[in-house]
Amino acid sequence: MAMAESNGSIPRDAEKIYLGGKEHHVRTWCGSVSVIVCGDQDKPALITYPDLALNHMSCFQGLFFCPEAASLLLHNFCIYHISPPGHELGAAPIGASVSAHCVDDLADQILEVLNFFGLGAVMCMGVTAGAYILTLFAMKYRERVLGLILISPLCRAPSWTEWFYNKVMSNLLYFYGVCGLVKECLLQRYFSKEVRGNAEVPESDIVQACRRLLDERHGSNVMRFLQAINRRPDLTSGLKRLRCRTLIFVGDNSPFHSEALQMTSKLERRFSALVEVQSCGSMVTEEQPHAMLIPMEYFFMGYGLYRPSQLSDSPRSPLNPFCISPELLSPESMGLKLKPIKTRISLEV
């Protein structure tokens, strides 16, 4: 297997191939991070960060298996799927002697990943807990983020209800690992009732696939990420200072629907847009990835990015916000004229 050229040598045994992407283990000051790189590394970078107990396979596969969305993203970007520590495919349990990470540590790890690959400013896509980590990263390192695509994001500190719920789940993970009850809690976090099924209707294929992937998670690793998220600080006071464009998706059946609305209300209106997806849970990337296509196209237009035409060999689009004409910084260019998008209603494009 040929080794990738990067800003540093990678041991041969630290590389694997996953669905057309190559796995790199990037050593950071607080542990190793798994990064799956998909696409041409000469293109602009889009980094992803998944929700609790998930990785790129279980959190973003639906979106990248949607042909139109995959065409839009892979034509314009090289994708860097970052996994939280211990969440990558085939991860071993993290030793008890390894210090627990806080959310700031996880955000700082992203900076080290970008520096390792020699990346400048990047586009970011995260789901729920991953959206929080990327938002925190954007607030700490503004010059390294061009835009945020956040799915069912968190922005406030946990409510007492969420804190207690997470505490119970942490105890279950500690004593029983990713047991049946923990899986049900996680599936309720990710998906709407429609796809989870009931006594009369079987659960959908995407839920069954996610359930199987959760079998591979080590309870101690999931517990570490959960504990970090359960100790997260409130970010709302700093959201107005974000100047990168932000596109937020949330399912109207997501338990974090109010969080997404709160975050949208605190962001600068000129640089943000909200898309509400009907009959969908938190993980829009898996449950209704097609609903993300048109809003993402509007969002990327502001950067001079486009969906490729099958009939043309167009050159790569530049990803440079300083080359954007002033009219593209208007609310209309952000897709605010589509807010809120209800996917049961046909959109006029």
Side-chain angles (χ1 to χ4, degrees), residues 299-311:
F299 184 70
F300 291 146
M301 281 179 190
Y303 297 94
L305 300 173
Y306 51 87
R307 194 163 17 147
S309 167
Q310 294 181 348
L311 302 177

PDB file of all heavy atoms in Angstrom, residues 299-311:
ATOM      1  N   PHE A 299     -26.088  27.422   0.064  1.00  0.00           N
ATOM      2  CA  PHE A 299     -25.005  27.791   0.987  1.00  0.00           C
ATOM      3  C   PHE A 299     -23.672  27.873   0.259  1.00  0.00           C
ATOM      4  O   PHE A 299     -22.921  28.845   0.401  1.00  0.00           O
ATOM      5  CB  PHE A 299     -24.959  26.743   2.101  1.00  0.00           C
ATOM      6  CG  PHE A 299     -23.964  27.028   3.197  1.00  0.00           C
ATOM      7  CD1 PHE A 299     -24.150  28.068   4.091  1.00  0.00           C
ATOM      8  CD2 PHE A 299     -22.848  26.219   3.364  1.00  0.00           C
ATOM      9  CE1 PHE A 299     -23.248  28.316   5.116  1.00  0.00           C
ATOM     10  CE2 PHE A 299     -21.932  26.457   4.374  1.00  0.00           C
ATOM     11  CZ  PHE A 299     -22.138  27.512   5.263  1.00  0.00           C
ATOM     12  N   PHE A 300     -23.361  26.864  -0.552  1.00  0.00           N
ATOM     13  CA  PHE A 300     -22.073  26.814  -1.244  1.00  0.00           C
ATOM     14  C   PHE A 300     -21.971  27.836  -2.373  1.00  0.00           C
ATOM     15  O   PHE A 300     -20.863  28.211  -2.773  1.00  0.00           O
ATOM     16  CB  PHE A 300     -21.816  25.414  -1.789  1.00  0.00           C
ATOM     17  CG  PHE A 300     -21.563  24.384  -0.719  1.00  0.00           C
ATOM     18  CD1 PHE A 300     -21.988  23.066  -0.895  1.00  0.00           C
ATOM     19  CD2 PHE A 300     -20.906  24.711   0.450  1.00  0.00           C
ATOM     20  CE1 PHE A 300     -21.757  22.108   0.085  1.00  0.00           C
ATOM     21  CE2 PHE A 300     -20.678  23.766   1.431  1.00  0.00           C
ATOM     22  CZ  PHE A 300     -21.096  22.461   1.253  1.00  0.00           C
ATOM     23  N   MET A 301     -23.129  28.292  -2.900  1.00  0.00           N
ATOM     24  CA  MET A 301     -23.077  29.309  -3.954  1.00  0.00           C
ATOM     25  C   MET A 301     -22.339  30.557  -3.483  1.00  0.00           C
ATOM     26  O   MET A 301     -21.678  31.237  -4.268  1.00  0.00           O
ATOM     27  CB  MET A 301     -24.497  29.687  -4.394  1.00  0.00           C
ATOM     28  CG  MET A 301     -25.144  28.712  -5.343  1.00  0.00           C
ATOM     29  SD  MET A 301     -26.823  29.271  -5.760  1.00  0.00           S
ATOM     30  CE  MET A 301     -27.421  27.803  -6.603  1.00  0.00           C
ATOM     31  N   GLY A 302     -22.464  30.868  -2.203  1.00  0.00           N
ATOM     32  CA  GLY A 302     -21.795  32.038  -1.660  1.00  0.00           C
ATOM     33  C   GLY A 302     -20.284  31.938  -1.687  1.00  0.00           C
ATOM     34  O   GLY A 302     -19.578  32.937  -1.542  1.00  0.00           O
ATOM     35  N   TYR A 303     -19.769  30.717  -1.867  1.00  0.00           N
ATOM     36  CA  TYR A 303     -18.326  30.489  -1.960  1.00  0.00           C
ATOM     37  C   TYR A 303     -17.886  30.224  -3.397  1.00  0.00           C
ATOM     38  O   TYR A 303     -16.744  29.844  -3.640  1.00  0.00           O
ATOM     39  CB  TYR A 303     -17.924  29.302  -1.086  1.00  0.00           C
ATOM     40  CG  TYR A 303     -18.181  29.499   0.381  1.00  0.00           C
ATOM     41  CD1 TYR A 303     -19.360  29.046   0.969  1.00  0.00           C
ATOM     42  CD2 TYR A 303     -17.250  30.135   1.205  1.00  0.00           C
ATOM     43  CE1 TYR A 303     -19.608  29.222   2.318  1.00  0.00           C
ATOM     44  CE2 TYR A 303     -17.481  30.314   2.553  1.00  0.00           C
ATOM     45  CZ  TYR A 303     -18.670  29.852   3.111  1.00  0.00           C
ATOM     46  OH  TYR A 303     -18.910  30.032   4.450  1.00  0.00           O
ATOM     47  N   GLY A 304     -18.805  30.388  -4.336  1.00  0.00           N
ATOM     48  CA  GLY A 304     -18.472  30.102  -5.727  1.00  0.00           C
ATOM     49  C   GLY A 304     -18.410  28.616  -6.010  1.00  0.00           C
ATOM     50  O   GLY A 304     -17.793  28.193  -6.991  1.00  0.00           O
ATOM     51  N   LEU A 305     -19.064  27.814  -5.186  1.00  0.00           N
ATOM     52  CA  LEU A 305     -19.067  26.360  -5.373  1.00  0.00           C
ATOM     53  C   LEU A 305     -20.365  25.932  -6.036  1.00  0.00           C
ATOM     54  O   LEU A 305     -21.398  26.594  -5.904  1.00  0.00           O
ATOM     55  CB  LEU A 305     -18.912  25.657  -4.022  1.00  0.00           C
ATOM     56  CG  LEU A 305     -17.633  25.991  -3.254  1.00  0.00           C
ATOM     57  CD1 LEU A 305     -17.674  25.384  -1.863  1.00  0.00           C
ATOM     58  CD2 LEU A 305     -16.420  25.500  -3.999  1.00  0.00           C
ATOM     59  N   TYR A 306     -20.349  24.820  -6.706  1.00  0.00           N
ATOM     60  CA  TYR A 306     -21.473  24.403  -7.520  1.00  0.00           C
ATOM     61  C   TYR A 306     -21.521  22.888  -7.590  1.00  0.00           C
ATOM     62  O   TYR A 306     -20.536  22.195  -7.322  1.00  0.00           O
ATOM     63  CB  TYR A 306     -21.321  24.965  -8.945  1.00  0.00           C
ATOM     64  CG  TYR A 306     -19.959  24.663  -9.531  1.00  0.00           C
ATOM     65  CD1 TYR A 306     -19.711  23.472 -10.197  1.00  0.00           C
ATOM     66  CD2 TYR A 306     -18.888  25.555  -9.352  1.00  0.00           C
ATOM     67  CE1 TYR A 306     -18.458  23.164 -10.683  1.00  0.00           C
ATOM     68  CE2 TYR A 306     -17.624  25.254  -9.841  1.00  0.00           C
ATOM     69  CZ  TYR A 306     -17.420  24.067 -10.502  1.00  0.00           C
ATOM     70  OH  TYR A 306     -16.172  23.764 -10.978  1.00  0.00           O
ATOM     71  N   ARG A 307     -22.675  22.365  -8.010  1.00  0.00           N
ATOM     72  CA  ARG A 307     -22.782  20.944  -8.307  1.00  0.00           C
ATOM     73  C   ARG A 307     -22.285  20.714  -9.726  1.00  0.00           C
ATOM     74  O   ARG A 307     -22.640  21.465 -10.627  1.00  0.00           O
ATOM     75  CB  ARG A 307     -24.232  20.483  -8.193  1.00  0.00           C
ATOM     76  CG  ARG A 307     -24.318  18.971  -8.153  1.00  0.00           C
ATOM     77  CD  ARG A 307     -25.596  18.380  -7.661  1.00  0.00           C
ATOM     78  NE  ARG A 307     -26.770  19.184  -7.597  1.00  0.00           N
ATOM     79  CZ  ARG A 307     -27.989  18.689  -7.799  1.00  0.00           C
ATOM     80  NH1 ARG A 307     -28.152  17.435  -8.124  1.00  0.00           N
ATOM     81  NH2 ARG A 307     -29.046  19.454  -7.664  1.00  0.00           N
ATOM     82  N   PRO A 308     -21.461  19.693  -9.956  1.00  0.00           N
ATOM     83  CA  PRO A 308     -20.881  19.524 -11.291  1.00  0.00           C
ATOM     84  C   PRO A 308     -21.929  19.166 -12.323  1.00  0.00           C
ATOM     85  O   PRO A 308     -22.899  18.469 -12.038  1.00  0.00           O
ATOM     86  CB  PRO A 308     -19.888  18.374 -11.092  1.00  0.00           C
ATOM     87  CG  PRO A 308     -20.440  17.602  -9.939  1.00  0.00           C
ATOM     88  CD  PRO A 308     -21.052  18.632  -9.027  1.00  0.00           C
ATOM     89  N   SER A 309     -21.720  19.668 -13.518  1.00  0.00           N
ATOM     90  CA  SER A 309     -22.543  19.268 -14.653  1.00  0.00           C
ATOM     91  C   SER A 309     -21.939  18.015 -15.261  1.00  0.00           C
ATOM     92  O   SER A 309     -20.738  17.916 -15.455  1.00  0.00           O
ATOM     93  CB  SER A 309     -22.597  20.384 -15.691  1.00  0.00           C
ATOM     94  OG  SER A 309     -23.141  19.904 -16.898  1.00  0.00           O
ATOM     95  N   GLN A 310     -22.795  17.054 -15.587  1.00  0.00           N
ATOM     96  CA  GLN A 310     -22.297  15.809 -16.189  1.00  0.00           C
ATOM     97  C   GLN A 310     -21.735  16.047 -17.587  1.00  0.00           C
ATOM     98  O   GLN A 310     -21.010  15.222 -18.112  1.00  0.00           O
ATOM     99  CB  GLN A 310     -23.427  14.786 -16.265  1.00  0.00           C
ATOM    100  CG  GLN A 310     -23.911  14.327 -14.896  1.00  0.00           C
ATOM    101  CD  GLN A 310     -25.016  13.298 -15.016  1.00  0.00           C
ATOM    102  OE1 GLN A 310     -25.565  13.081 -16.087  1.00  0.00           O
ATOM    103  NE2 GLN A 310     -25.352  12.652 -13.911  1.00  0.00           N
ATOM    104  N   LEU A 311     -22.074  17.210 -18.161  1.00  0.00           N
ATOM    105  CA  LEU A 311     -21.671  17.457 -19.543  1.00  0.00           C
ATOM    106  C   LEU A 311     -20.451  18.347 -19.650  1.00  0.00           C
ATOM    107  O   LEU A 311     -20.004  18.654 -20.745  1.00  0.00           O
ATOM    108  CB  LEU A 311     -22.833  18.108 -20.308  1.00  0.00           C
ATOM    109  CG  LEU A 311     -24.133  17.292 -20.337  1.00  0.00           C
ATOM    110  CD1 LEU A 311     -25.219  18.071 -21.062  1.00  0.00           C
ATOM    111  CD2 LEU A 311     -23.896  15.940 -21.005  1.00  0.00           C
TER     112      LEU A 311
END
